Each structure stands twice: as C-alpha cells, then as structure tokens.
Amino acid sequence: SLRCGNTRFSVLMATINLVPNGSISNDWTLSAFGAAHSMLASDHTGNTGSAHNHLYDNTAGTKCVIEFEDFSESFSSIDSVQAVTRSHVPGRGNSFQIGVTILDGSSGTFYSQETISQGANAPSSGYRTQTFTSRTTSDGSSAWTNTNINNLRMEIELTAVGGGNNKQFCHCYFIVTYTEPVATDNSVFFGTNF
C-alpha cells in the first residue's frame, strides 16, 4: 500500500478486455450475414465446427480494421495494452501468419505491425490464441491516456499462408491493465495516527 498524509492507498491492479464494436474496413470473407466486428465480438465455443461466426480467407495480404468499445473504468494509471487474436487452420500441412498493427483512430499508428506465425499443424478442433507484445506506453515513452484507449483500432492481416485450406479468424480483443487506487480511512486520535 501507499501512504499520503493520513490517508493510505491500496494499489489495485485490474484488467479489462475491450471487444470489437465497429468495422472500419474488411477484405476477409464473412462466414455469416453481418459486419466483420460482429463476427469477432464473441469468443469461440471451443470447437471450430460450432463457431459459426468468423472471418476466413487464404490470400496473403487480406486485412480488416476493427474498432473497440470505450474504456470506462476509473483508474490512476493505464499500465499496458495488449492485442490478442484467435485463429485456426484445418488440415495437416497448412500454416499461416497473422499480423496486428495497433492503430490510433484519430492520428495514425500507435505500434507498427507485429506478426505471429502458426506453423504446419495436424487438424485441430480448437482455435489457437495469438498474444502480442504488451505495450506499456502509447509510443515508447508516453503513458497511455483514456483518450488513447478510446481511439484504439486493430488492423489484422493474413500476412502469409501455406496450404490450400482457408484460415479462420474468430475473435480479437485488447487487454487493458490499469491501476485503481482505493483510499482507506485511518483514524486520527489526539494528533496520533493509528
């Protein structure tokens, strides 16, 4: 805990996942009627056969840009932002690479593209999680602000493909870690703090 005068603060770390709530652009094929962000807003069921809402393609360079719900938690600092995607390719010998760029919806780019490769794999019933670098600042030196978080966008690109099967992409979100100080009272008796 931290102390300031006669007030003691308990520093609480918390996280929240911000999920898609808007589509800016999309080149991927939709698995169902709707918008790209609506396909990606809910996590998968655990089985690719029953995860009917997803995007798919097998062409390197396919992209979408998604915006996210606002960050509305009370905080004393925003400590990190981390992009996460879930994707899958069926069929032995297939592979792919997902690239994520963290965009600033008001002025360009927070962080340039980072890629994660999914090597050749045996058929699998589950989606795989791609967890990108946790970013502790908005630009390498400046603390994240609430405005920054509310302007977050994610560009997801199928940067490389191997094999003939479609690559499926079902979910994305940002993990926001923040510090929430909670003041607790300390009684003062006769000028002495207990």
Side-chain angles (χ1 to χ4, degrees), residues 34-191:
H37 72 275
S38 63
M39 303 290 109
L40 303 174
S42 298
D43 207 349
H44 63 93
T45 61
N47 185 297
T48 57
S50 58
H52 300 299
N53 289 341
H54 61 269
L55 310 183
Y56 66 91
D57 216 293
N58 195 35
T59 304
T62 299
K63 295 180 182 180
C64 65
V65 176
I66 303 298
E67 59 185 3
F68 292 78
E69 62 188 350
D70 284 346
F71 177 73
S72 58
E73 306 300 314
S74 59
F75 66 93
S76 64
S77 65
I78 297 171
D79 304 305
S80 65
V81 171
Q82 187 171 34
V84 180
T85 61
R86 298 202 205 281
S87 54
H88 163 75
V89 58
R92 185 180 298 275
N94 283 268
S95 61
F96 63 95
Q97 181 173 269
I98 289 283
V100 162
T101 304
I102 302 178
L103 300 175
D104 179 349
S106 67
S107 63
T109 302
F110 286 121
Y111 284 95
S112 58
Q113 187 180 84
E114 178 183 2
T115 59
I116 294 180
S117 294
Q118 175 60 64
N121 61 88
S124 170
S125 63
Y127 281 92
R128 296 175 185 255
T129 300
Q130 295 80 42
T131 304
F132 295 83
T133 300
S134 178
R135 306 293 185 175
T136 56
T137 64
S138 64
D139 60 4
S141 61
S142 303
W144 289 103
T145 67
N146 196 84
T147 299
N148 293 154
I149 300 301
N150 290 344
N151 283 325
L152 281 174
R153 291 179 179 174
M154 191 186 297
E155 179 188 84
I156 304 101
E157 180 179 0
L158 188 56
T159 55
V161 298
N165 291 353
N166 280 321
K167 285 57 177 173
Q168 299 175 3
F169 162 46
C170 75
H171 190 40
C172 62
Y173 57 96
F174 281 109
I175 302 172
V176 178
T177 302
Y178 59 99
T179 299
E180 182 182 39
V182 178
T184 56
D185 292 333
N186 281 336
S187 298
V188 178
F189 296 100
F190 307 108

